[in-house]
């Protein structure tokens, strides 16, 4: 039976759906992609259940038509101010006092993770992920897999991500009312990392910056494990609002101008191209230039990157990071984003994150705005394979990459919501 995974990215500006198929070679192929302008969300938070439900239903149906499959379930991401994180530590005895030392077993690993997991969280929050960072065997740190090591004491350092219970319930309600089962809710930036990060970047220490419409989400990964999760409650919509206010146009027109002519690094503009501002309410169209637009856009984008830098410096030791800063989300597509980030962070190690090649209609999904949706598909292959006997997907009548599933994502398979 064919195995299908649907990744659903519910964002402030757009809802995106990606359908992946696990073929006979156990490799994921992207066979359906769709996106639709969001309605019912504000700064990443669902504020209108009905509008969000309709949007989800519409975008999945469009992806179904492209893929030629009828699906029954999906996996979605969560981010923004609804997310909080912390680092925790647990310790257990492997050998009882006076008894012979023995090897660490899987049961010991599960016990030490349970001990690290035993932290108090508010009643209105739900534990989303518990991700091992490293194990310490008899005081010696740096172990990723301590099983079969002889030890007396085992410790574990973990990264815990919690989410608002209300937010999860609202997402679940929207998906269910749209006619689909919600299999998992996953941290968005974890999905982004799965889609765009290389193994070396995870080990050396890198930062994912997901530039969304309402929020900017951040994930810091070091030694193949998250050490910091954060969210800045500002995004590309503020840039749109700035253009709308300065130029006196509706936000819809300002958004189009931003997408078509926007730039956030003035030095990229070799020649000053003219931009037409449509006339509103009988006014004559106006002329402006890309450089003038850049002078509106660049300060706001610089402010966003500065807030991210300060948040990361507050929560993590930047001196430990030797990898890259990776930009994803719709905001990463703006010309000059890389150059501006390099200036703010004082490094040349900045790149845009493009999802890997998973075949199919690659020109549509191999853009930074689809990083979350593609990552939701690729990071959850094990879940779908495990449910092979429980789910059915029907092929519609008449229809005719890199697959990196290792790393800390595999450690999550029993720890998702």
């Amino acid at each position: 039976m064919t195995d299908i995974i649907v990744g659903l990215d519910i964002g402030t500006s757009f809802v995106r759906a990606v359908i992946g198929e696990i073929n006979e070679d156990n490799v994921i192929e992207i066979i359906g992609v769709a996106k639709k302008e969001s309605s019912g969300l504000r700064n990443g938070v669902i504020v209108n259940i009905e509008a969000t439900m309709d949007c989800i239903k519409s975008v999945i149906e469009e992806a179904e038509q492209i893929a030629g499959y009828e699906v029954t379930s999906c996996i979605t991401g969560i981010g923004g101010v609804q997310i909080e994180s912390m680092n925790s530590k647990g310790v257990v005895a492997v050998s009882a006092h006076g008894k012979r030392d023995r090897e660490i077993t899987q049961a010991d690993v599960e016990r030490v993770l349970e001990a690290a997991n035993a932290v108090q969280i508010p009643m209105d929050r739900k534990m989303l992920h518990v991700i091992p960072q490293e194990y310490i065997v008899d005081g010696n740190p740096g172990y990723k897999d301590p099983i079969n090591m002889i030890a007396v004491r085992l410790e574990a350092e973990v990264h815990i991500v919690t989410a608002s219970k209300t937010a999860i319930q609202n997402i679940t309600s929207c998906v269910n009312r749209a006619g689909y089962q919600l299999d998992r809710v996953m941290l968005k930036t974890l999905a982004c990392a799965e889609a765009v990060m290389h193994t070396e970047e995870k080990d050396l220490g890198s930062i994912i910056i997901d530039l969304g419409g309402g929020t900017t989400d951040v994930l810091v990964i070091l030694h193949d494990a998250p050490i910091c999760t954060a969210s800045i409650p500002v995004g590309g919509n503020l840039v749109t609002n700035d253009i709308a206010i300065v130029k006196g146009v509706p936000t819809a027109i300002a958004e189009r101008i931003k997408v078509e002519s926007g730039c956030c690094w003035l030095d990229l503009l070799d020649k000053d191209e003219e931009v037409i501002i449509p006339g509103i309410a009988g006014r004559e169209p106006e002329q402006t230039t890309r450089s003038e637009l850049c002078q509106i856009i660049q300060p706001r984008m610089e402010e966003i990157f500065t807030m991210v830098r300060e948040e990361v410096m507050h929560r993590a030791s930047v001196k430990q990071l030797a990898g890259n800063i990776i930009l994803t989300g719709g905001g990463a597509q703006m010309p000059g984003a890389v150059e501006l980030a390099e200036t703010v962070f004082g490094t040349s190690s900045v790149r845009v994150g493009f999802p890997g090649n998973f075949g199919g209609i690659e020109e549509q999904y191999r853009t930074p705005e689809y990083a979350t949706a593609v990552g939701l598909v690729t990071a959850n292959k094990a879940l779908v394979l495990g449910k092979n006997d429980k789910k059915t997907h029907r092929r519609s009548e008449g229809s005719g990459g890199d697959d990196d599933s290792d790393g800390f994502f595999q450690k999550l398979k029993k720890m998702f919501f």
Side-chain angles (χ1 to χ4, degrees):
M1 182 180 67
T2 303
D3 293 298
I4 297 298
I5 315 174
V6 181
L8 180 67
D9 178 16
I10 307 172
T12 304
S13 298
F14 289 94
V15 175
R16 301 175 180 90
V18 169
I19 299 179
E21 176 184 11
I22 304 175
N23 63 22
E24 295 177 355
D25 297 325
N26 206 31
V27 173
I28 291 176
E29 294 182 358
I30 303 299
I31 59 174
V33 175
K35 80 172 182 178
K36 183 179 176 63
E37 286 191 19
S38 290
S39 55
L41 287 97
R42 184 180 297 119
N43 294 334
V45 179
I46 294 174
V47 294
N48 187 319
I49 295 288
E50 290 295 325
T52 306
M53 176 202 73
D54 290 340
C55 195
I56 290 171
K57 185 176 180 62
S58 176
V59 75
I60 292 182
E61 285 179 348
E62 183 178 337
E64 284 179 327
Q65 291 176 2
I66 295 171
Y69 278 95
E70 180 182 348
V71 300
T72 59
S73 64
C74 65
I75 297 161
T76 191
I78 188 172
V81 295
Q82 306 158 118
I83 294 295
E84 293 180 2
S85 68
M86 69 184 82
N87 294 319
S88 181
K89 189 173 183 178
V91 56
V92 296
V94 177
S95 302
H97 180 69
K99 291 192 175 182
R100 183 179 176 183
D101 294 350
R102 66 173 177 82
E103 294 181 350
I104 297 172
T105 65
Q106 181 63 39
D108 296 319
V109 172
E110 292 175 0
R111 284 195 302 122
V112 77
L113 291 178
E114 286 294 328
N117 191 12
V119 296
Q120 283 192 336
I121 61 174
M123 295 291 292
D124 63 341
R125 304 200 65 79
K126 182 177 183 65
M127 203 165 285
L128 197 64
H129 305 303
V130 179
I131 309 166
Q133 295 171 324
E134 70 170 353
Y135 296 95
I136 303 168
V137 179
D138 289 345
N140 299 311
Y143 290 89
K144 289 296 182 182
D145 184 4
I147 293 176
N148 297 330
M149 299 293 296
I150 301 292
V152 174
R153 186 178 75 255
L154 177 63
E155 301 169 69
E157 293 184 349
V158 302
H159 186 68
I160 298 174
V161 180
T162 66
S164 162
K165 282 186 177 179
T166 303
I168 292 177
Q169 289 167 355
N170 285 338
I171 291 172
T172 304
S173 176
C174 288
V175 172
N176 290 344
R177 292 175 67 175
Y180 303 96
Q181 176 182 324
L182 183 60
D183 288 336
R184 273 184 182 165
V185 177
M186 180 180 182
L187 180 64
K188 282 187 174 185
T189 44
L190 277 179
C192 284
E194 169 70 354
V196 304
M197 286 189 75
H198 303 298
T199 302
E200 296 82 2
E201 291 174 322
K202 298 174 190 174
D203 188 56
L204 290 172
S206 298
I207 305 173
I208 289 276
I209 303 177
D210 187 34
L211 297 161
T215 62
T216 300
D217 295 326
V218 184
L219 178 70
V220 183
I221 295 176
L222 177 65
H223 301 319
D224 199 27
I227 62 172
C228 168
T229 304
S231 182
I232 310 300
V234 293
N237 286 352
L238 276 185
V239 177
T240 302
N241 289 339
D242 290 345
I243 296 173
I245 292 170
V246 173
K247 294 301 179 183
V249 296
T251 54
I253 293 178
E255 176 70 17
R256 179 169 59 81
I257 292 171
K258 180 186 75 173
V259 171
E260 294 178 355
S261 306
C263 177
C264 61
W265 189 245
L266 194 58
D267 292 346
L268 284 182
L269 302 177
D270 295 331
K271 57 181 180 178
D272 213 3
E273 301 175 22
E274 291 186 349
V275 178
I276 302 299
I277 306 294
I280 305 299
R283 296 202 314 249
E284 291 292 325
E286 299 178 15
Q287 283 189 347
T288 186
T289 61
R290 289 193 71 193
S291 62
E292 187 176 344
L293 289 175
C294 186
Q295 291 169 16
I296 301 171
I297 296 169
Q298 185 169 333
R300 182 65 75 183
M301 292 293 291
E302 184 175 354
E303 178 188 20
I304 292 172
F305 283 129
T306 301
M307 293 173 70
V308 170
R309 185 194 64 193
E310 291 175 352
E311 188 71 15
V312 170
M313 291 179 65
H314 174 69
R315 292 171 173 260
S317 175
V318 180
K319 293 180 180 179
Q320 293 179 285
L321 307 178
N324 290 324
I325 295 171
I326 304 160
L327 308 181
T328 64
Q333 300 177 129
M334 178 174 289
V338 169
E339 290 81 1
L340 183 57
E342 288 176 344
T343 300
V344 172
F345 284 89
T347 178
S348 60
S349 301
V350 181
R351 70 176 181 88
V352 176
F354 293 91
N357 183 2
F358 298 95
I361 44 179
E362 63 179 80
E363 69 279 358
Q364 293 189 32
Y365 69 82
R366 294 202 68 190
T367 60
E369 66 174 319
Y370 278 103
T372 295
V374 172
L376 289 169
V377 171
T378 59
N380 288 282
K381 184 170 73 172
L383 168 70
V384 174
L385 290 175
K387 296 178 67 176
N388 189 52
D389 296 330
K390 299 179 182 179
K391 277 233 178 281
T392 58
H393 300 272
R394 299 188 301 276
R395 185 81 180 185
S396 298
E397 293 182 4
S399 66
D402 293 331
D403 188 14
D404 176 16
S405 58
D406 296 328
F408 64 84
F409 303 98
Q410 286 298 87
K411 304 169 190 174
L412 294 171
K413 60 185 177 181
K414 294 183 179 179
M415 301 177 187
F416 282 113
F417 161 75

